[in-house]
Amino acid sequence: MSKITTARLQAMKQAGQKIAMITAYDATFATLFEQAGVHSILIGDSLGMVLQGEASTLKVSVDDIAYHTRCVANGSKNAFIVADMPFMSYSTPEQACASAAALMRAGAHMVKLEGGDWLADTVAQLTRQGVPVCGHLGLTPQSVHVFGGFKLQGREAEQAEQIKRHARALEAAGIQLLVLECVPSQLAADISRELRIPVIGIGAGPDTDGQVLVMQDALGLTSGYVPKFTKNFLAESGNVRAAIETYVAEVAEGRFPGPEHSFN
């Protein structure tokens, strides 16, 4: 696989080619996922739950993300690396720049922020400083206590319009990628068509420009609650590399997510 850049991701959107993203937290899985054809690797603050055993992502620190970003960057030479900005690490533009600097130095190609138009100044400042930014709307796990749990967002017309407004404002401020999590398929499709930048979905239906999954979900390494939008690719494939190759292929062909993984 040749080097994936923001320009390459933008070209994929324009060509109608689906983007496959997955989380990873170490060099071994980063190498394997890149060899399996994944275009982008996300060092998610999901590590707080899947690696550290916490009930939410809120205890994850910039140092935690930077450590795992460095590990992933050592294992991946061509995939596009996105690092999450943890809870309360970007409450001001100045703090955001300091946090982003640590993650970019660790090997990230882009940082991801959760939130809407109130982050426009922060996004603009990061962009001016040479930091590519990914937005994240819909179910934003860092706001889990505000939402009252991990719930579908954008089902009501007013809330759907609000998410659209936030998406437009973030794009105008300079984001180059947007993640939509746990929103109705039609809302995600509308936003994906309207925005010029690539839109990556998780629990957002099949009509976004790409998909992202937490690696533990894609490999069936979860216990207890299994989100509707996930699929265990390892159960069908028998080994990890084949499982991720299947994930990439099903995303490319529009077979994943199916109706059973989406919200109306």
Side-chain angles (χ1 to χ4, degrees), residues 175-197:
I175 65 167
Q176 293 177 277
L177 201 66
L178 176 67
V179 169
L180 287 178
E181 181 169 357
C182 284
V183 300
S185 298
Q186 187 58 57
L187 173 60
D190 292 344
I191 292 173
S192 299
R193 280 194 298 268
E194 180 175 347
L195 298 191
R196 299 181 302 278
I197 60 171

Side-chain angles (χ1 to χ4, degrees), residues 31-254:
T31 299
L32 188 152
F33 292 167
E34 180 176 298
Q35 291 173 347
V38 166
H39 304 105
S40 180
I41 296 174
L42 171 65
I43 299 87
D45 58 5
S46 52
L47 68 86
M49 301 173 75
V50 299
L51 296 188
Q52 298 173 342
E54 302 289 351
S56 72
T57 65
L58 302 186
K59 294 183 181 180
V60 176
S61 69
V62 172
D63 287 344
D64 290 335
I65 298 288
Y67 170 80
H68 290 283
T69 297
R70 188 172 295 109
C71 294
V72 167
N74 286 339
S76 172
K77 303 308 177 187
N78 292 310
F80 190 74
I81 299 173
V82 181
D84 263 341
M85 298 269 272
F87 177 66
M88 292 301 291
S89 68
Y90 49 97
S91 58
T92 66
E94 293 76 19
Q95 184 190 28
C97 287
S99 300
L103 301 182
M104 298 293 283
R105 290 187 185 113
H109 304 133
M110 175 179 277
V111 299
K112 181 166 74 65
L113 313 178
E114 296 184 9
D117 56 7
W118 59 90
L119 290 173
D121 290 344
T122 296
V123 170
Q125 179 66 9
L126 287 169
T127 301
R128 282 193 294 268
Q129 297 297 326
V131 179
V133 181
C134 175
H136 186 155
L137 293 171
L139 172 59
T140 48
Q142 292 175 16
S143 302
V144 61
H145 294 311
V146 175
F147 294 145
F150 297 97
K151 299 178 179 179
L152 181 71
Q153 303 296 307
R155 178 170 281 166
E156 302 300 326
E158 182 178 353
Q159 190 182 45
E161 286 302 316
Q162 183 180 58
I163 292 173
K164 288 180 181 179
R165 289 196 300 272
H166 288 318
R168 295 183 199 110
L170 290 172
E171 182 180 50
I175 65 167
Q176 293 177 277
L177 201 66
L178 176 67
V179 169
L180 287 178
E181 181 169 357
C182 284
V183 300
S185 298
Q186 187 58 57
L187 173 60
D190 292 344
I191 292 173
S192 299
R193 280 194 298 268
E194 180 175 347
L195 298 191
R196 299 181 302 278
I197 60 171
V199 176
I200 308 297
I202 177 168
D207 296 318
T208 53
D209 303 303
Q211 300 293 328
V212 60
L213 283 179
V214 173
M215 59 168 279
Q216 282 81 357
D217 290 336
L219 299 175
L221 302 177
T222 53
S223 59
Y225 173 70
V226 178
K228 172 180 178 176
F229 53 77
T230 66
K231 178 178 177 179
N232 181 356
F233 290 91
L234 184 59
E236 301 175 359
S237 305
N239 69 74
V240 172
R241 178 165 179 163
I244 302 306
E245 288 174 343
T246 300
Y247 165 62
V248 173
E250 290 196 9
V251 169
E253 296 161 7

